[in-house]
């Protein structure tokens, strides 16, 4: 069991990623030895999550340059390390290729643009390499610090809101996709707020604090199943009380809790007070691109004054170059990611089949739909800022002014 999505050895300059297509069945790390490898693991979603994508992408640049400059390898990539300007030109082409791997999350674009700025300033090959390595390591290390700050700022917003309405007692939260350690360098963004909430609730003890988190609902998040495969894996690892639900259960769950329906087999009667989601790109007016299914969660929340909708992200996810969400490019994923699914094979008793003596689970891919049908598979949607109550970053939590506008500025 591991929650370490990214491993980078600063002395050996080696990069590997946890293959998230195999979670929760197997823990397997895949080496990333070039920008091409970085593109592949990001494109195939072996590593995913807006911050993690940027970190792996930037580290793949470091690994490629190290092999070119220090080891004299990868000659087929046609870098000319004898000519700084030619090297910069070739690296720019490689960065643009890397950026094309997944277009919606802005973090990778921001990271590669920072590298391009370092290239402009570099007056030698050595300076170019060292500055990109230092930037990439800092991006990785800062992400963990920032996620902890997002957790604290999210808790501040939540307990401030509960105090304003004088809410007392236990509450639950709902989240979608995976925004935890498997999507970042650790702790997470939306799931980082959940971790921080749980830590505060557990520490304070239900009997002493006025309100506390007692349950989390995780949407399975079809079709990649980040919720059922990754978020459930993380919450189970942390022993945070949670229930997995399908994406189409949310409105009925909320209605059942609001009406305290004890006759519906609810795992907890603690009311959902917050829906907390991550983001792949938040633009200037606060419109938020996130995993498909997020927009409809905000529509549900908007029907209940007792539920607040929170978007959580580091500033590396914010794009001040776009004024509204209409400008965000939405990635379309392959049809077979919706019409088939991979899982651990079960025997007739429902026990997971082991593949061999190494207890590797036997993985099986199954079709869920007829062949050659029309499929629409957007990986993200855009939640208008009017349905968002707070945007939480490492700097603060933001709420809208009396005109219903967010002020996103640095
Ligand atoms: C902190 S992760 C942000 C974001 O990334 C995920 O997308 P994907 O799994 O396709 O990379 C999801 O939208 C998360 O909310």
């Amino acid at each position: 069991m591991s929650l370490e999505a990214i491993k980078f050895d600063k002395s050996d300059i080696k990069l590997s990623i946890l293959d998230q297509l195999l979670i929760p069945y197997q823990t397997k790390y895949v080496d990333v030895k070039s920008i091409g490898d970085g593109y592949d693991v990001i494109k195939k979603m072996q590593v995913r999550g807006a911050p993690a994508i940027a970190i792996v992408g930037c580290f793949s640049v470091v690994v490629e340059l190290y092999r070119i400059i220090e080891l004299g390898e990868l000659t087929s990539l046609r870098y000319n390390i004898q000519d700084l300007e030619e090297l910069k030109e070739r690296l720019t082409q490689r960065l643009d290729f890397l950026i094309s791997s997944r277009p919606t999350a802005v973090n990778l674009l921001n990271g590669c643009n920072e590298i391009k700025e370092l290239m402009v300033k570099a007056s030698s090959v050595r300076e170019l390499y060292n500055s990109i390595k230092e930037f990439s390591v800092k991006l990785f290390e800062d992400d963990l610090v920032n996620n902890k700050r997002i957790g604290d700022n999210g808790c501040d917003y939540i307990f401030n809101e509960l105090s304003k309405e004088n809410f007392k007692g236990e509450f639950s939260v709902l989240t979608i996709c995976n925004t935890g350690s498997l999507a970042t360098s650790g702790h997470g963004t939306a799931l980082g707020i959940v971790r921080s909430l749980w830590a505060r609730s557990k520490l304070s003890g239900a009997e002493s604090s006025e309100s506390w988190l007692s349950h989390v609902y995780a949407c399975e998040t079809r079709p990649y199943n980040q919720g059922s495969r990754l978020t459930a894996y993380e919450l189970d690892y942390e022993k945070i009380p949670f229930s997995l639900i399908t994406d189409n259960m949310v409105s009925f769950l909320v209605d059942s809790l609001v009406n305290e329906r004890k006759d519906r087999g609810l795992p907890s009667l603690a009311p959902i007070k917050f829906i907390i989601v991550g983001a792949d790109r938040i633009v200037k007016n606060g419109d938020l691109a996130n995993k498909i299914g997020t927009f409809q969660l905000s529509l549900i929340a908007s029907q209940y004054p007792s539920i607040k909708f929170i978007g959580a992200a580091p500033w590396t996810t914010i794009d001040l170059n776009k004024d509204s969400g209409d400008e965000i490019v939405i990635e379309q994923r392959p049809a077979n990611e919706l019409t088939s699914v991979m899982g651990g094979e079960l025997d007739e008793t429902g026990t997971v089949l082991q593949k061999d003596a190494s207890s590797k689970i036997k993985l099986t891919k199954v079709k869920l739909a007829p062949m050659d049908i029309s499929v629409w598979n957007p990986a993200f949607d855009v939640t208008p800022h009017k349905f968002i109550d707070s945007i939480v970053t490492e700097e603060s939590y933001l709420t809208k002014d009396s005109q219903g506008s967010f002020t996103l500025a640095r």
Side-chain angles (χ1 to χ4, degrees):
M1 166 96 71
S2 168
L3 293 183
E4 200 175 4
I6 304 163
K7 287 182 176 179
F8 181 71
D9 184 319
K10 284 192 277 191
S11 50
D12 293 342
I13 312 300
K14 290 200 185 306
L15 173 64
S16 62
I17 57 102
L18 179 63
D19 186 344
Q20 297 189 33
L21 288 172
L22 300 178
I23 300 290
Y25 321 110
Q26 288 172 22
T27 297
K28 180 184 172 189
Y29 281 87
V30 174
D31 290 338
V32 177
K33 298 182 175 177
S34 66
I35 288 172
D37 287 354
Y39 176 94
D40 289 344
V41 295
I42 291 169
K43 183 80 175 173
K44 289 190 287 187
M45 294 178 67
Q46 287 176 282
V47 62
R48 32 63 53 201
I53 288 170
I55 292 162
V56 169
C58 291
F59 274 148
S60 75
V61 176
V62 175
V63 169
E64 179 159 303
L65 288 178
Y66 176 75
R67 292 181 66 194
I68 296 276
I69 297 165
E70 299 294 340
L71 306 181
E73 297 177 356
L74 300 176
T75 50
S76 62
L77 292 179
R78 294 182 287 103
Y79 280 96
N80 177 0
I81 61 173
Q82 305 310 322
D83 183 311
L84 180 60
E85 290 315 309
E86 280 194 26
L87 186 143
K88 290 181 181 181
E89 194 177 314
R90 182 65 181 126
L91 183 54
T92 299
Q93 293 167 352
R94 298 286 286 163
L95 288 169
D96 291 340
F97 167 66
L98 180 61
I99 289 166
S100 70
S101 54
R102 297 196 71 196
T104 304
V106 73
N107 309 57
L108 178 58
L109 173 67
N110 284 344
C112 290
N113 283 341
E114 294 264 1
I115 288 177
K116 287 181 178 178
E117 286 176 23
L118 292 171
M119 278 165 51
V120 169
K121 294 173 192 164
S123 55
S124 72
V125 171
R126 173 64 47 197
E127 183 190 346
L128 172 74
Y129 170 71
N130 287 337
S131 62
I132 293 173
K133 179 184 168 186
E134 285 161 24
F135 162 75
S136 302
V137 169
K138 187 175 186 306
L139 182 70
F140 183 43
E141 293 171 349
D142 284 356
D143 185 56
L144 179 57
V145 173
N146 291 338
N147 290 341
K148 299 276 181 70
R149 290 179 178 151
I150 290 169
D152 290 339
N153 290 335
C155 284
D156 290 348
Y157 170 73
I158 282 168
F159 287 113
N160 186 43
E161 286 300 308
L162 293 172
S163 170
K164 278 198 300 189
E165 64 173 89
N166 196 27
F167 176 87
K168 299 199 187 316
E170 61 180 349
F171 65 91
S172 56
V173 300
L174 182 141
T175 192
I176 189 170
C177 199
N178 174 256
T179 58
S181 296
L182 295 176
T184 65
S185 62
H187 195 68
T189 58
L191 207 62
I193 292 176
V194 170
R195 280 193 165 95
S196 300
L197 265 178
W198 178 244
R200 287 201 198 184
S201 301
K202 204 171 50 169
L203 276 179
S204 61
E207 63 290 344
S208 61
S209 62
E210 291 193 336
S211 52
W212 63 94
L213 173 70
S214 68
H215 208 78
V216 181
Y217 292 95
C219 295
E220 73 172 338
T221 319
R222 288 280 295 139
Y224 183 97
N225 298 325
Q226 290 94 335
S228 57
R229 294 192 304 109
L230 307 178
T231 297
Y233 182 86
E234 290 202 42
L235 290 172
D236 185 41
Y237 183 94
E238 303 280 5
K239 298 292 174 260
I240 296 174
F242 78 100
S243 297
L244 177 66
I245 61 171
T246 61
D247 306 329
N248 53 8
M249 290 178 183
V250 176
S251 51
F252 191 55
L253 169 66
V254 168
D255 181 73
S256 300
L257 288 168
V258 165
N259 293 294
E260 298 181 353
R261 292 298 300 266
K262 298 182 173 64
D263 60 333
R264 288 182 175 165
L266 291 162
S268 159
L269 285 175
I272 290 176
K273 296 295 290 172
F274 302 92
I275 294 178
I276 313 172
V277 303
D280 293 82
R281 194 183 295 239
I282 301 175
V283 296
K284 204 168 183 179
N285 70 352
D287 291 352
L288 178 151
N290 194 54
K291 187 50 51 197
I292 187 74
T294 302
F295 180 21
Q296 61 195 25
L297 296 183
S298 75
L299 293 175
I300 293 168
S302 70
Q303 302 305 304
Y304 297 88
S306 62
I307 299 178
K308 294 290 186 286
F309 189 88
I310 301 170
W315 265 90
T316 50
T317 304
I318 291 175
D319 179 3
L320 296 180
N321 295 317
K322 286 185 170 39
D323 294 326
S324 99
D326 296 342
E327 303 167 59
I328 299 173
V329 171
I330 299 298
E331 176 188 5
Q332 302 299 317
R333 297 282 310 173
N336 67 4
E337 291 185 1
L338 198 158
T339 58
S340 64
V341 69
M342 182 165 71
E345 189 169 342
L346 304 178
D347 66 16
E348 61 283 353
T349 67
T351 307
V352 174
L353 269 180
Q354 304 301 334
K355 189 170 184 178
D356 54 29
S358 65
S359 77
K360 287 254 183 293
I361 291 175
K362 183 174 172 58
L363 300 180
T364 301
K365 196 164 192 175
V366 294
K367 285 293 290 173
L368 297 174
M371 307 290 282
D372 306 324
I373 57 173
S374 169
V375 168
W376 188 50
N377 187 17
F380 303 100
D381 58 26
V382 179
T383 299
H385 64 278
K386 68 178 177 183
F387 295 122
I388 300 172
D389 293 294
S390 180
I391 292 174
V392 181
T393 72
E394 66 272 28
E395 292 183 1
S396 64
Y397 66 80
L398 300 170
T399 52
K400 288 177 283 194
D401 60 25
S402 53
Q403 281 75 45
S405 300
F406 281 110
T407 302
L408 278 166
R410 251 191 164 178

